[in-house]
Amino acid sequence: MDRLIPARCLLCNAPGDGMDLCMACLADMGNNHHACQHCGLPLPPGLSLCSDCVRQPPPWSGAWVPFRYAWPLDLLEARFKFHGDLACGKVLAWMWCAAEPPRQLPDAIMPVPLHRSRLRTRGYNQALELARPLARHLGLPLLSCLRRSRRTTAQTELDAQARRGNLRDAFSVTGLVPPHVAILDDVMTTGATMEACTRALLAAGATTVDAWALARA
């Protein structure tokens, strides 16, 4: 199939060497090697915590965010999330699977849910599409205990304080929750979504919650 229809890079249309991403564009992806241990915010080498997490640590235990939300990853993400380009999502999931995983894995992965009205409009949950291949790669169960119990305003339109208020009591949990779970989302910006999900899971009986996102803004 590769000989009949050679792979082309989704970003620059160069030969993809068997992938939908060429090696040059892959090299341009911003790896998040130096990041805050709590929230994944990119930091200068030598620092382990950002100033916000020193003052007030988030409710989750640790973060795994292997990439920075910058060009050209942000272009793939926008096409995947807002324009129905599932091929871009496949590439992003492949990149995440290739990243070095955390030393301690959770008992299960839970993707951040969409409200049913937004799911009908978009047709898919971008967090779930990323979570499926990652769960298979890591050999972890994928659970759907987390529910978005009410519709909220799109987070992209709000500042950090408004995002937290927008998500207050927006998530609920159904069924049994394992002791150690990882919440998975595509992009972490202020952490408001992760915070709301974490508090719902801790209230439902989880003892350790990790925040996993593909990229950190």
Side-chain angles (χ1 to χ4, degrees):
M1 183 61 71
D2 287 339
R3 288 194 296 270
L4 292 172
I5 309 174
R8 310 293 296 188
C9 178
L10 291 170
L11 289 168
C12 69
N13 204 38
D17 193 23
M19 303 181 296
D20 291 327
L21 200 65
C22 70
M23 297 308 295
C25 287
L26 179 60
D28 284 338
M29 297 295 169
N31 292 299
N32 197 17
H33 292 310
H34 304 289
C36 175
Q37 293 177 358
H38 278 334
C39 72
L41 186 73
L43 294 176
L47 295 179
S48 59
L49 294 175
C50 69
S51 57
D52 287 343
C53 288
V54 169
R55 289 194 299 268
Q56 185 175 354
W60 60 82
S61 298
W64 180 33
V65 192
F67 296 96
R68 288 180 283 112
Y69 189 66
W71 190 91
L73 184 146
D74 58 351
L75 179 58
L76 288 175
E77 167 67 16
R79 286 166 55 183
F80 168 48
K81 186 172 183 176
F82 300 114
H83 301 287
D85 195 334
L86 295 179
C88 289
K90 183 180 177 181
V91 168
L92 293 171
W94 171 81
M95 288 168 48
W96 201 344
C97 290
E100 183 177 357
R103 283 195 282 270
Q104 185 176 6
L105 293 177
D107 299 318
I109 298 174
M110 292 188 187
V112 172
L114 290 180
H115 189 267
R116 59 183 178 273
S117 61
R118 186 158 294 152
L119 184 59
R120 281 196 300 268
T121 301
R122 186 171 295 167
Y124 59 93
N125 179 353
Q126 72 280 355
L128 178 59
E129 295 302 317
L130 293 173
R132 282 192 181 114
L134 187 63
R136 287 195 300 267
H137 175 72
L138 297 175
L140 296 174
L142 187 62
L143 302 182
S144 57
C145 301
L146 203 56
R147 295 279 189 272
R148 193 178 290 252
S149 50
R150 64 176 178 84
R151 186 174 182 176
T152 56
T153 304
Q155 293 286 88
T156 52
E157 303 170 8
L158 306 173
D159 60 22
Q161 184 176 358
R163 286 179 183 223
R164 289 185 174 85
N166 184 46
L167 291 171
R168 189 171 293 114
D169 300 323
F171 296 96
S172 59
V173 178
T174 60
L176 297 175
V177 178
H180 185 184
V181 297
I183 308 165
L184 184 146
D185 208 356
D186 52 343
V187 178
M188 189 192 303
T189 305
T190 65
T193 300
M194 292 292 189
E195 181 177 343
C197 291
T198 297
R199 296 194 186 281
L201 288 167
L202 291 174
T207 55
T208 303
V209 179
D210 296 331
W212 288 7
L214 173 71
R216 185 64 157 90

